């Protein structure tokens, strides 16, 4: 921005208010976005079905490159017979693969799940650890999966940046970034504290059903007035 010159040719001094003008406006916009999403969905939650932290872990591992719907179909039967690390190990690799064979990469996922079960029994008395370091030490559990577990199972204000959150954050201007980690760090730094716990699910659901990859339904979007996406759609999908 070019500031106007004073009569003697000098640029006027910028006050703190002027210097922070853009960040203040962005903060107001971020507050409005999350307030609106919270009003539309006061209790956001994952669409994966689970009854324990362990079941959630298995479901999240299976959900990589798969839909929540397909995962729920598999786990509905699987969790009736193997809902603990010990029972999952007792099931064995061959039977576990039979239950999850419709899920992409099921061979690798089955092996990782069983290795994880073994480690949970050996190191954590069969319980899921509530810290990132121990979670990420489990086979098949990366930063994104750990963030989901910490947020959803243990109520920690983490944000797991998947393709939906990455897209929404960049399109809206909430937290532009070139990598998921960059977006995650910006979201954690700039999301108002009272919305940090729910931000993960609000943004995922918004990206899944409204701010879709190919054709976002901008006319139906509750935060369209605050969104900085230049290629907004003008007709209903």
């Amino acid at each position: 921005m070019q500031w106007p010159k004073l009569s003697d040719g000098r640029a006027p001094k910028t006050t703190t208010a002027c210097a922070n003008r853009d960040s203040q406006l962005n903060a107001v916009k971020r507050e409005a976005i999350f307030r609106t999403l919270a009003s539309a969905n006061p209790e956001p939650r994952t669409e994966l079905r689970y009854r324990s932290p362990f079941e959630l872990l298995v479901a999240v591992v299976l959900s990589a490159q798969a839909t929540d719907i397909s995962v729920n179909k598999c786990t509905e039967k699987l969790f009736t017979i193997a809902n603990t690390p010990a029972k999952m190990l007792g099931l064995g690799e061959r039977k576990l693969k039979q239950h999850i064979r419709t899920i992409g990469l099921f061979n690798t996922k089955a092996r990782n799940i069983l290795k994880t079960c073994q480690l949970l029994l050996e190191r954590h008395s069969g319980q899921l650890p509530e810290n990132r370091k121990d979670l990420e030490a489990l086979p098949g559990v990366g930063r994104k999966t750990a963030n989901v577990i910490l947020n959803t199972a243990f109520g920690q204000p983490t944000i797991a940046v998947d393709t939906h959150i990455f897209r929404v954050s960049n399109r809206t201007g909430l937290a532009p970034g070139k990598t998921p980690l960059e977006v995650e760090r910006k979201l954690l730094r700039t999301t108002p504290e009272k919305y940090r716990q729910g931000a993960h699910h609000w943004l995922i659901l918004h990206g899944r059903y409204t701010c879709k990859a190919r054709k976002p339904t901008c006319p139906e979007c509750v935060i369209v007035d605050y969104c900085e996406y230049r290629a907004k759609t003008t007709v209903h999908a």
Side-chain angles (χ1 to χ4, degrees):
M1 177 178 179
Q2 292 292 326
W3 294 101
K5 299 290 185 179
L6 296 177
S7 59
D8 61 1
R10 294 178 296 107
K13 293 181 179 180
T14 59
T15 64
T16 301
C18 289
N20 292 334
R21 179 175 178 272
D22 288 341
S23 62
Q24 288 174 350
L25 288 174
N26 288 336
V28 170
K29 183 177 292 187
R30 284 192 294 270
E31 169 76 26
I33 286 174
F34 284 112
R35 183 177 66 247
T36 303
L37 292 174
S39 178
N41 185 6
E43 297 183 5
R45 61 189 63 189
T46 180
E47 294 183 318
L48 292 170
R49 296 173 189 159
Y50 70 98
R51 294 165 296 180
S52 69
F54 174 72
E55 288 189 356
L56 177 63
L57 174 64
V58 172
V60 175
V61 169
L62 292 176
S63 70
Q65 299 184 42
T67 66
D68 288 0
I69 293 175
S70 64
V71 171
N72 288 336
K73 287 181 179 179
C74 289
T75 57
E76 182 178 10
K77 293 182 179 180
L78 174 63
F79 290 158
T80 61
I81 59 174
N83 62 349
T84 67
K87 290 179 180 178
M88 194 71 73
L89 277 175
L91 193 62
E93 186 173 331
R94 183 179 63 84
K95 289 185 178 180
L96 176 55
K97 287 181 179 179
Q98 290 176 353
H99 280 280
I100 65 172
R101 64 183 183 276
T102 58
I103 299 293
L105 305 175
F106 72 91
N107 286 312
T108 300
K109 291 176 180 178
R111 288 192 291 270
N112 283 337
I113 287 171
L114 293 178
K115 289 178 183 177
T116 286
C117 290
Q118 187 68 48
L119 288 177
L120 288 176
L121 291 170
E122 292 176 355
R123 301 179 183 177
H124 305 288
S125 301
Q127 302 299 311
L128 246 64
E130 298 186 27
N131 66 85
R132 181 185 304 283
K133 180 180 178 181
D134 287 336
L135 283 172
E136 291 186 15
L138 300 173
V141 177
R143 184 177 183 86
K144 183 175 72 173
T145 297
N147 277 337
V148 174
I149 301 302
L150 292 172
N151 178 285
T152 306
F154 301 125
Q156 298 184 27
T158 56
I159 300 176
V161 179
D162 68 348
T163 56
H164 297 302
I165 292 184
F166 187 80
R167 179 173 64 254
V168 171
S169 297
N170 276 283
R171 275 183 178 172
T172 61
L174 266 175
K178 295 181 179 180
T179 67
L181 183 57
E182 183 181 359
V183 170
E184 178 190 335
R185 286 173 173 168
K186 284 187 177 181
L187 284 172
L188 290 173
R189 186 173 67 249
T190 61
T191 301
E193 185 176 358
K194 62 183 176 180
Y195 299 119
R196 216 164 286 158
Q197 171 66 33
H200 169 75
H201 291 115
W202 282 318
L203 296 178
I204 283 180
L205 295 173
H206 190 69
R208 183 174 293 168
Y209 295 111
T210 302
C211 195
K212 294 175 282 190
R214 293 186 178 181
K215 191 173 184 181
T217 54
C218 300
E220 301 171 5
C221 178
V222 295
I223 60 171
V224 66
D225 291 339
Y226 313 112
C227 175
E228 296 181 0
Y229 185 48
R230 294 183 178 180
K232 290 185 177 74
T233 56
T234 56
V235 295
H236 294 273

